[in-house]
Amino acid sequence: MPSNVEIKARVSDVAKFAEKAAQLSQSEGTIIRQHDTFFNCTSGRLKLRDFMNGSGQLIFYERPDTDGPKLSRYSISPTTDPQSLKTVLSDALGVKGEVKKERRLFLIGQTRVHLDTVEGLGHYMELEVVMRQEQTVEEGQQVSFYDPL
């Protein structure tokens, strides 16, 4: 199962964070609109990510509820009909919650830097180190701390 190391935090100065991320990535970032629906499941987490353009992803992942860097293992299945899939999964499992956000994605080396504006919650950042198969969790954590954000 693919994995990544993630760090999430609230962002107080969005402009400063975006400026630094743009400088390090040498890009203005990519805007991605997302509507995530989380479903009840007995182990891990299951969400449907609707990109609001007729495409989406069904994502199952396991990640501890702890502070600091954490390992996330995941499986992803693309869909071209997220609305229909949402109806079926809602009927079968029940909806646990929904999150709407606008994500600005910057790529810096092995790290995906997300600047999220979450509807009703505010601004957050996520550093997501996409692990190579041979890498350890410790190496992923070192990469996430090395990136100067």
Side-chain angles (χ1 to χ4, degrees):
M1 189 179 291
S3 63
N4 59 38
V5 172
E6 300 177 1
I7 298 173
K8 297 182 182 192
R10 185 178 287 275
V11 172
S12 57
D13 190 335
V14 175
K16 186 175 180 180
F17 185 91
E19 180 182 334
K20 185 68 171 177
Q23 178 186 39
L24 292 170
S25 69
Q26 299 178 355
S27 79
E28 292 304 309
T30 302
I31 301 294
I32 305 167
R33 287 174 181 74
Q34 301 174 339
H35 182 164
D36 291 346
T37 303
F38 295 84
F39 300 96
N40 297 310
C41 64
T42 56
S43 67
R45 300 167 197 203
L46 183 65
K47 70 180 170 186
L48 176 63
R49 174 160 287 160
D50 186 339
F51 291 113
M52 317 296 285
N53 64 3
S55 70
Q57 299 173 324
L58 183 62
I59 305 167
F60 171 77
Y61 62 105
E62 299 172 310
R63 182 184 69 218
D65 288 325
T66 57
D67 289 337
K70 49 191 137 287
L71 180 69
S72 178
R73 298 185 187 280
Y74 57 89
S75 299
I76 298 176
S77 178
T79 180
T80 56
D81 191 358
Q83 285 304 307
S84 177
L85 187 54
K86 178 180 177 179
T87 300
V88 171
L89 289 169
S90 297
D91 290 347
L93 302 173
V95 173
K96 190 172 188 172
E98 296 187 53
V99 175
K100 292 180 183 178
K101 63 185 162 194
E102 181 176 278
R103 169 167 281 176
R104 192 165 164 193
L105 169 64
F106 302 91
L107 301 175
I108 303 171
Q110 195 177 334
T111 304
R112 296 169 54 93
V113 177
H114 303 151
L115 176 55
D116 294 339
T117 301
V118 183
E119 191 174 287
L121 294 177
H123 304 285
Y124 294 85
M125 72 88 182
E126 178 180 341
L127 303 179
E128 183 181 86
V129 178
V130 181
M131 303 289 288
R132 292 190 208 91
Q133 197 167 10
E134 73 278 2
Q135 281 184 304
T136 66
V137 174
E138 292 76 21
E139 290 171 327
Q141 290 174 340
Q142 287 174 350
V143 169
S144 69
F145 284 120
Y146 178 75
D147 283 333
L149 283 175

